Amino acid sequence: MKIRKILFVLLIFFLVICCLPPLVLVVSSVSANWIYPSILPNDMTFSNIKYVFSNGEVFEAIYTTFLICVLSSLFCVFISFLTARVIVFYDFVGKKLIKVLVLLPLVVPSVTVVSTAHIFMIRTGIEGTIFGVSLIHCFFAIPYGVKILENHFLSVGDKYEVMSSNLGASEVYTLFKVTLPLALSPLCFVFFISATVSISQYITTLIIGGGSIKTLSTLLVPYVQYGEYEIASIYSLILILMSVVLYKILDRKGGRDV
Amino acid sequence: MLTPFLALVSFVVLFGVIEMVKESFGYIPFYDLNEVTLKYYKDVLLSEKFYTSLFYTFYLGIVPTILSVFFGVMFAILIYFNDKRYNSINKVLQIPIVIPYIVMSFFVIIMFSQTGIVSSVLTCCGLIDNPNDFPLLIFDEKGVGILIVYFLKQVPFVFFVVSLALRKINRNIVLVSRNLGASTMYTVFKIILPLIKNSIIVCIMLVFSFNFCSFEVPLMLGNPKYDTLPILSYNMVMDTNFSLRPSGMVINTLLFIISVVITVFVARRFENEN
């Protein structure tokens, strides 16, 4: 099996490359004077790390990123919960249209959405606020959220809720004691997926944030563009660390039954 | 119950789209442009730059999609036949998944620029003498750096989606096919690929639509001479010269129409999947 061997070698090669980014970034973040043609940095220094953490900018950015993450994920969970329920349990005119609208954020270029929504956001005055940025981030996470919850509602069905109301429970009681506990695990999954979507957004934050909202990614890109690679590596590591933490939680919450 | 979703969509998309179409016809009272005209559409559709960008955008959409889906599916099938290694490979392939696109682009710059690590290693091996001997991979016309980023990020994605579909296949079917004397290749092409066809198509659509409308990666790694359509429209809309704004909005409108068409196709596929 020649093809199998070739594929296997390629796969190993690919796996090795996959391991490289974190290593290279760690080395680069403590490197001094790493210039062509030395394979490893000539000197090691922690001054870059000290520099990054000595000004408050990075902590502010971490805080903002975190806040936007949580807010947009909460919006996303709330909206996709309702939308998925409607799509699964109700029949109405225009259901097809809703289904297409749900998938729209996956396909429409973010720049198109953002530069047009920008005008409206300025008019309503939520441009440049954390709320506005979270709304935009949430928009791009909606397709994932609705798809996941749709699958959940399809597999669970509404029998438990019907039974609960037949036994005399009020709607609110059913919601909190039956529907939400059943959907807890996929809801957590949606939360963390939309959080990962949120932390990697760049251009949306830049435009809607109007330059005053600084997240880790909007700080990172200029450092890369101006060639400050050591500092950019530190920011990248913080970003990766945040995604890893999210990914671990997501894995644990979602691994069970999604 | 649909109100929050519709509110969000109309808030983010609908009002924006109305404004966008208005501006693309040159109706911007704020700048004293009150005439409704098709001039900007004509300008854009007759300009050479638009077609270069359109071609480049489709190039960056299609080529990496073919590459990542091909290798992702191949790797997944390979691992399907060597089941023991699945868990360890799974762990390694999770690394690119958690790395955001921006960070991955940065990594590719460090590695593959002319004075990057790969170039240094080649110099130390004596294969090249100075940075100029190393081929231009970043900021180049063919967008090799962009292709590398997409490839690194999307092969694992395709791998995971296809693996999920593969695990649902009844292994006995494969065994029966082998037992009846089919070669491995025959089994792969006649049994396995048809069974996972739908998830491959979903993968192709998701990956293509991402590549097609991605902004950050071409911004960081692309050649400034060749803009993709999203970058072109961004530059025009955000330019300090306001007279470019309607043309930018024309490009936005065209992009929006293209993506709505793609969405309808994707939606139909998802329907079939269920």
Side-chain angles (χ1 to χ4, degrees), chain B residues 31 234-248:
Chain B
Y31 305 142
Y234 172 75
N235 287 341
M236 282 176 152
V237 171
M238 293 294 160
D239 204 288
T240 38
N241 178 3
F242 288 126
S243 62
L244 286 177
R245 199 178 160 91
S247 308

Side-chain angles (χ1 to χ4, degrees), chain B residues 85-97:
Chain B
R85 299 196 180 84
Y86 181 75
N87 276 335
S88 47
I89 286 174
N90 208 351
K91 287 235 164 64
V92 180
L93 284 181
Q94 279 173 3
I95 299 174
I97 296 261

